[in-house]
Amino acid sequence: MGDHDTVRARLRAALRADGPWTALHLLNTDRPGPLAEAVEELYRSETDHTAFRPYLSWLLRSLGEPGDAVLLRLLAAPGLTADSRQDLLRTSVARGLRLPAELLRTHAQDAPASSGGNAGTGSSPAPELVDAMGLSGDPSFASYLGALLGDPAAPRCRAALALGRLGARAWTEPIAGRLSEVTGLDHTAFAVALELMDDPAAVPHLLRWLAESGEERVYDVHHALVQLTGRDPLLPERVSGAAYAAAVRAAWADGRTERAPAAVRDLVVESGALARFSVDEGAGRIRFAFDPPSPGSSWPRWDRCLTFDRKPLYRVGSVCDTCELGLTLLDWPDDEAARIAARMRGRLADLDRLDTTLLAEWSPVLGELETGQYRALLLDLPLEQVAEPSRSWWYRRAAARAEEDGDDGNRPEYDRPGDYWPGVAHFQLTAPVPGGRVPFTYGALLPSQPPEALDPAAVARHAAAVAAGKRPAAVVLGWIDDRYVEALHEERWLVGAILDGHHRLAAYAAAGVPARVLLLARVGEGSGADGGLEGLAEVAAAYGCRE
C-alpha cells in the first residue's frame, strides 16, 4: 500500500477512470501514504499536468498538511507557467495558506496581470495574488493593495478584503470613503472589509453613507454599524425594500452609537403554548454571525455560525437556499453559557403553560439574545437520542429524496453517513413533522455541552419526575430553515441548540415520552425574510402543549 510505484499507478488509474471524481474520492479516503508525492510528480509532468490539473489541484486541497507542503514546493519552483501559477495560488488561497512574502513579491514581478499587463509595473494583478497577500500577515503589502482601491479595472473588492485581513487600519477611511463607488457584491465586500478592520474610524463614514445610499445597500451598512459599535437597534418585523431601508435609517438617525441596556418589549401571550416578544438592544451573547469570508470566494457573506460570546459553537452553513442544510460542531461554550440558562430553571421543573409573569421573570435572560422579534412555543416533542450517523436525519433525508424521485436509493461508495454528521450525538424528532406544506420537515436539537458529561444520577431524577407525571422543560434556541435543495426538493428543518435541559431531554428520550420543550425562535429578520412563521405554525399545530 505504501509503495510509491503502486500509489502512482493507482492515482493514474483513478484519473483515467470513467468516473474520475468517484475514483479519486475513494483513493483519497484510503489515503495511501505517498499520495501527496505522487500528485506532485504528476503535477511537475507537463503532459499529466495539462490533462489532469483540476483533479490534481483538488487532491492537493484535500490532503491536508502533506498537500500544503507540495503546494509550497511547486510555487517555489522556477519557470512556472502563468496557468500553473494561477492554479497553485488559487489552491493555496482556498487552503488559507500563509505564503512567504518574498515568494509573493517574486510572483508579483513575474506574473501576468489579469488585464494582460504586468503586476510589477502597476497594472491590475490577478485576484489570487491579491488574496494571497491578504493572507500573508505581512503589512508591507498594504500600500500595494491600497493603490488598487481606486482602480475600477482592478480586483478592488479583493484588495479591500485583503487589507481587512491584514488589519491595515490606515486604509479604513479610504475604504469607507469609496462605498459610494461600488455596488452589488463589491459594496458588500467593502462593508465586510470594514468589519474585519474592527476600526471605529469607519463609523462616521458609515452613518453619512447610510443617509445617502440606495435601499439595496442599506443592509450592508447596517450590518457593519452593528458589528463596529455593538449597538443593535430593534427593527419592525417582516419589513423589506423601502420600508426596511427607512426603518434602518430611522434607527440610526440620531447618530447614537452606544448600546443601551437590553429591553424585552411587546410581550403578548396568545395561548398557554404560544407567546411573542421583542428584544431591543439585545446583548447578542447568543447569536448567529457570518463567518469571515472564505479567501478566494466571490461571496463576502456566505457561511454562518451559532456563537456564544463571539465563540463559534456550530457552523450552520451558507445562506444559499438551494444548498443542503448541514451543522457542524466547532467547540463547546464556556461554563457561563450554562449559568445564564440556569437562571430560568426555577419555573421549568413542571412547566405546563406560558404566561406574562413567567416571561417577564425571564427578561434578564431573554435580553442576552440577539435583537429581534421572537416566538416562544411550549412543545411536546417526540424525540430520540441518536449517536450513529446512519440513523440521523442528516443522512436519511437523502433516501427520502430518492424515494420521492422514484430512484433506487443506491448511493456512491464515497457518500458516507459520517460526511453528513454534525459531529456529536444529539436529539431528533422520531419522524418528520406531520401535516406540513413541505413534504419533509425534519427536526434536530443539538447539545451545548458534551453528551458524555451528563450525570446519570441527574438523568435518573428527571426520569422519576416524568414517570410521576411531571413535565420538566428544556429551553432551546431554535429556528426554521427552509431549503429548495438543488432546486428540486423542498426541505424544511426545525433546528435548535439546547440552552438548558440536556439531562431532562435524555430522560424523556429514554422513557419514550414526548419531551416538554420551550422553544425560543427569532423571526422576521430585518432583511425581509419571513423567519419561518409558516414552519413554526406547523410545528405548534403538531406538537403544541395542550392545556
Side-chain angles (χ1 to χ4, degrees):
M1 180 70 70
D3 178 76
H4 177 75
D5 291 337
T6 300
V7 172
R8 183 174 55 186
R10 290 183 61 190
L11 175 57
R12 286 186 180 278
L15 291 167
R16 291 182 168 84
D18 291 338
W21 288 116
T22 299
L24 289 170
H25 271 287
L26 293 172
L27 180 65
N28 193 31
T29 301
D30 199 15
R31 288 284 177 93
L35 182 55
E37 289 80 2
V39 172
E40 179 177 8
E41 182 179 323
L42 294 189
Y43 204 103
R44 290 180 182 275
S45 162
E46 186 60 35
T47 301
D48 292 320
H49 167 226
T50 302
F52 303 127
R53 183 165 57 203
Y55 305 113
L56 298 174
S57 298
W58 176 83
L59 280 167
L60 289 175
R61 283 183 61 179
S62 62
L63 285 172
E65 291 184 5
D68 295 344
V70 171
L71 282 167
L72 288 170
R73 289 197 295 269
L74 291 173
L75 276 165
L80 277 180
T81 66
D83 287 345
S84 295
R85 179 186 294 109
Q86 184 179 31
D87 177 56
L88 292 169
L89 278 173
R90 186 184 300 119
T91 305
S92 298
V93 165
R95 284 285 300 158
L97 293 184
R98 178 176 287 195
L99 299 175
E102 285 306 314
L103 180 63
L104 294 177
R105 291 192 184 94
T106 298
H107 285 307
Q109 292 294 326
D110 297 343
S114 59
S115 60
N118 187 283
T121 62
S123 298
S124 175
E128 296 82 6
L129 183 59
V130 172
D131 294 332
M133 289 177 175
L135 288 170
S136 70
D138 191 323
S140 68
F141 288 120
S143 59
Y144 176 85
L145 295 166
L148 302 176
L149 297 175
D151 181 3
R156 54 183 180 170
C157 66
R158 309 283 269 270
L161 290 170
L163 288 164
R165 291 187 179 101
L166 289 173
R169 287 188 168 187
W171 292 95
T172 295
E173 295 189 48
I175 292 172
R178 292 188 180 278
L179 281 168
S180 61
E181 300 176 9
V182 288
T183 59
L185 289 176
D186 284 359
H187 186 269
T188 303
F190 271 52
V192 171
L194 295 174
E195 294 172 15
L196 293 174
M197 288 287 191
D198 197 23
D199 185 355
V203 171
H205 296 272
L206 289 166
L207 289 171
R208 285 195 296 271
W209 177 230
L210 179 62
E212 303 168 2
S213 63
E215 66 181 55
E216 73 282 357
R217 306 187 203 184
V218 164
Y219 175 81
D220 288 332
V221 183
H222 174 61
H223 193 281
L225 284 169
V226 171
Q227 292 297 109
L228 293 174
T229 67
R231 180 177 174 237
D232 194 358
L234 180 66
L235 301 175
E237 184 175 318
R238 303 182 73 188
V239 292
S240 60
Y244 171 75
V248 171
R249 291 191 179 108
W252 296 96
D254 60 3
R256 181 169 61 87
T257 57
E258 302 81 16
R259 188 174 74 82
V264 177
R265 309 185 188 281
D266 312 317
L267 176 57
V268 177
V269 174
E270 298 184 358
S271 72
L274 176 62
R276 49 190 168 90
F277 62 91
S278 303
V279 178
D280 190 8
E281 298 283 10
R285 299 184 68 181
I286 307 164
R287 71 182 305 145
F288 290 99
F290 280 105
D291 294 347
S294 298
S297 171
S298 58
W299 295 92
R301 300 194 203 279
W302 189 251
D303 284 326
R304 300 161 299 156
C305 282
L306 179 64
T307 65
F308 187 88
D309 283 345
R310 297 197 173 193
K311 181 180 183 180
L313 309 183
Y314 285 96
R315 179 173 291 114
V316 181
S318 78
V319 295
C320 171
D321 61 3
T322 61
C323 298
E324 279 194 324
L325 172 67
L327 268 69
T328 306
L329 175 68
L330 299 175
D331 204 347
W332 299 113
D334 299 328
D335 290 342
E336 179 65 11
R339 284 194 289 271
I340 289 173
R343 286 151 60 188
M344 302 175 73
R345 274 187 200 157
R347 295 285 299 276
L348 294 173
D350 188 17
L351 184 61
D352 60 1
R353 62 175 288 109
L354 300 177
D355 57 59
T356 53
T357 302
L358 174 69
L359 292 168
E361 178 185 321
W362 286 342
S363 289
V365 178
L366 301 178
E368 304 285 4
L369 300 174
E370 185 176 5
T371 290
Q373 317 283 347
Y374 286 83
R375 300 293 185 270
L377 284 74
L378 191 59
L379 306 170
D380 287 326
L381 298 177
L383 298 176
E384 60 183 353
Q385 193 164 16
V386 57
E388 293 295 327
S390 60
R391 290 186 54 235
S392 81
W393 289 120
W394 302 107
Y395 181 69
R396 290 163 57 193
R397 60 184 171 182
R401 289 186 209 136
E403 183 177 350
E404 186 181 17
D405 289 344
D407 295 342
D408 59 12
N410 289 334
R411 303 171 81 161
E413 290 183 64
Y414 61 80
D415 191 24
R416 298 162 296 184
D419 294 336
Y420 299 84
W421 182 243
V424 64
H426 56 275
F427 300 95
Q428 65 181 21
L429 292 177
T430 54
V433 178
R437 178 185 60 80
V438 176
F440 297 101
T441 298
Y442 305 105
L445 306 184
L446 291 102
S448 60
Q449 66 182 56
E452 59 273 16
L454 294 185
D455 179 4
V459 175
R461 285 197 303 272
H462 289 299
V466 170
K470 294 185 180 298
R471 291 296 176 261
V475 182
V476 172
L477 178 65
W479 67 99
I480 294 290
D481 191 292
D482 278 330
R483 302 285 170 137
Y484 190 32
V485 179
E486 298 177 349
L488 294 172
H489 302 279
E490 283 190 281
E491 187 174 283
R492 176 174 283 166
W493 282 84
L494 167 64
V495 191
I498 304 165
L499 302 183
D500 188 59
H502 296 78
H503 294 88
R504 281 158 262 167
L505 293 178
Y508 279 119
V513 174
R516 184 68 48 88
V517 171
L518 175 61
L519 180 76
L520 305 175
R522 184 168 178 259
V523 300
E525 296 182 0
S527 59
D530 69 3
L533 287 173
E534 179 188 68
L536 288 174
E538 292 173 354
V539 168
Y543 305 120
C545 178
R546 308 299 179 217
E547 297 182 55

